[in-house]
Amino acid sequence: MDCGDGHGLAQPGYRPARADWTVDQQWCRYTPQDHATWRTLFERQTGLLPARASQAWLEGLNDLPIAYDRIPDFAQLNEVLHARSGWQVVAVPGLVPDEVFFEHLANRRFPAGNFIRQPHELDYLQEPDVFHDVYGHVPILMNPVMADYMQAYGEGGLKAQRLGYLPQLARVYWYTVEFGLVQESAGLRIYGAGILSSATESRFSLEDDSPHRIAFDTERVLRTRYRIDDFQESYFVLRDLDQLLELARIDFTPLYARIAGQPELEPGDLQPLDTVLQRGSGHYHHTRAPRV
Ligand code: HBI
Ligand code: FE
């Protein structure tokens, strides 16, 4: 098999070979070091997540050919994933333009970075790599509710872009798909991929007394800015995953009109109408350098 030139991030000025920005995964180009990085990350999360991740994500992981000792082969993932939920994973070199991203989601294709982080980036990196995308996002795409919600987000994203409300809609994605928590009978659980792929935030989001934990409300979240470079100051909690079904069916257009006249909220703000499940102490972010 021809393996091509290997993996690399899309550099500034990168011109995609294909209009949809997909590339071949080139599984045979991964080095022993790449697989070892996957293994380190996988084992760390496996120690943390059985009691912290949502049932839907745990079941998805269990049912997919995702092993501890090697980066998954997307073709093998897709055999199981596509049969279960109609989704496929496609390889991309890193972040892709918003409209390209939405177009994939709207067609039940999840774009996953094909590269893996370097050993000095185990805890944080800017672009989504194969660990974040495949370990964090893909298992829950086996769940029918999440499968429909993600497709609806892709369709909604294309529409929000036309209406000029993409920054607001992106907050819904952020506080659900990336950093969402859900109430389960056993207690609060994680379903957001940004948390599931982070050892430190897996603990912080559930156990630290610093962040607020607030019942999810769509209009509230549309107005709430978020942090991309640190733990969240507020997490929004679904009463169950089925709440995403309602969210997938909402026509956001009237909501955009409603929030147009309202102030934006900072990540750590509480509002009089919030259902606060746990009021955070804020100690973690108070000791961080102020934002500029
Ligand atoms: N590209 N590969 C990739 N992964 C993402 O999560 C992603 C993206 N492009 C745009 C994007 N996310 C977000 O900015 C949108 O959800 C708004
Ligand atoms: Fe992500």
Side-chain angles (χ1 to χ4, degrees):
M1 178 183 173
D2 175 17
C3 263
D5 295 328
H7 309 119
L9 287 185
Q11 301 296 328
Y14 171 87
R15 299 261 320 268
R18 299 180 199 146
D20 68 358
W21 284 65
T22 59
V23 295
D24 295 327
Q25 185 190 11
Q26 299 182 320
W27 191 87
C28 48
R29 299 286 311 199
Y30 295 120
T31 64
Q33 172 62 254
D34 290 338
H35 291 298
T37 298
W38 172 275
R39 179 176 182 153
T40 301
L41 294 165
F42 186 103
E43 288 180 338
R44 203 161 67 166
Q45 291 312 92
T46 300
L48 292 169
L49 294 182
R52 292 185 176 87
S54 70
Q55 209 53 44
W57 182 88
L58 289 167
E59 283 170 15
L61 183 69
N62 198 49
D63 292 349
L64 282 166
I66 298 182
Y68 73 98
D69 63 342
R70 72 195 69 169
I71 297 170
D73 178 335
F74 293 180
Q76 289 174 12
L77 284 180
N78 285 338
E79 281 177 28
V80 181
L81 179 63
H82 192 262
R84 179 74 64 92
S85 71
W87 275 79
Q88 320 172 49
V89 181
V90 293
V92 290
L95 282 172
V96 300
D98 290 338
E99 63 277 10
V100 175
F101 184 65
F102 298 140
E103 188 68 37
H104 281 300
L105 298 185
N107 290 286
R108 286 170 111 88
R109 293 187 301 264
F110 189 78
N114 70 340
F115 70 97
I116 193 154
R117 66 196 73 184
Q118 295 300 304
H120 65 274
E121 303 171 303
L122 285 194
D123 291 310
Y124 179 74
L125 80 168
Q126 292 243 329
E127 293 216 44
D129 73 342
V130 66
F131 185 74
H132 168 78
D133 280 334
V134 169
Y135 185 88
H137 284 284
V138 171
I140 207 160
L141 288 174
M142 295 277 279
N143 177 276
V145 171
M146 202 60 180
D148 285 356
Y149 174 64
M150 288 284 275
Q151 178 183 357
Y153 180 78
E155 292 160 354
L158 293 167
K159 191 165 157 190
Q161 216 173 22
R162 289 195 296 273
L163 297 171
Y165 283 94
L166 185 53
Q168 287 73 23
L169 186 69
R171 294 167 182 166
V172 175
Y173 187 81
W174 190 262
Y175 284 117
T176 57
V177 173
E178 295 291 356
F179 292 94
L181 301 179
V182 60
Q183 206 77 64
E184 292 189 355
S185 50
L188 212 53
R189 295 291 183 117
I190 305 161
Y191 73 94
I195 310 177
L196 293 166
S197 57
S198 161
T200 47
E201 197 154 3
S202 295
R203 289 205 182 83
F204 180 85
S205 64
L206 292 183
E207 285 131 56
D208 205 282
D209 70 9
S210 188
H212 302 308
R213 298 181 183 87
I214 306 166
F216 184 89
D217 176 83
T218 310
E219 197 171 315
R220 175 8 161 147
V221 167
L222 283 167
R223 294 169 54 204
T224 309
R225 295 188 218 260
Y226 55 81
R227 293 178 165 269
I228 59 164
D229 58 345
D230 206 338
F231 298 148
Q232 302 305 305
E233 280 177 78
S234 298
Y235 296 93
F236 291 90
V237 180
L238 300 179
R239 63 182 129 70
D240 54 40
L241 224 48
D242 286 350
Q243 209 176 340
L244 294 178
L245 267 185
E246 297 160 34
L247 206 52
R249 295 191 189 118
I250 290 181
D251 177 8
F252 278 79
T253 313
L255 285 182
Y256 296 146
R258 286 248 292 279
I259 62 168
Q262 298 172 358
E264 310 236 291
L265 303 171
E266 293 302 322
D269 287 352
L270 286 177
Q271 285 291 292
L273 291 176
D274 285 340
T275 302
V276 181
L277 307 172
Q278 280 154 15
R279 188 193 176 96
S281 69
H283 76 81
Y284 173 82
H285 291 92
H286 292 161
T287 61
R288 311 288 285 181
R291 263 163 302 144
V292 288

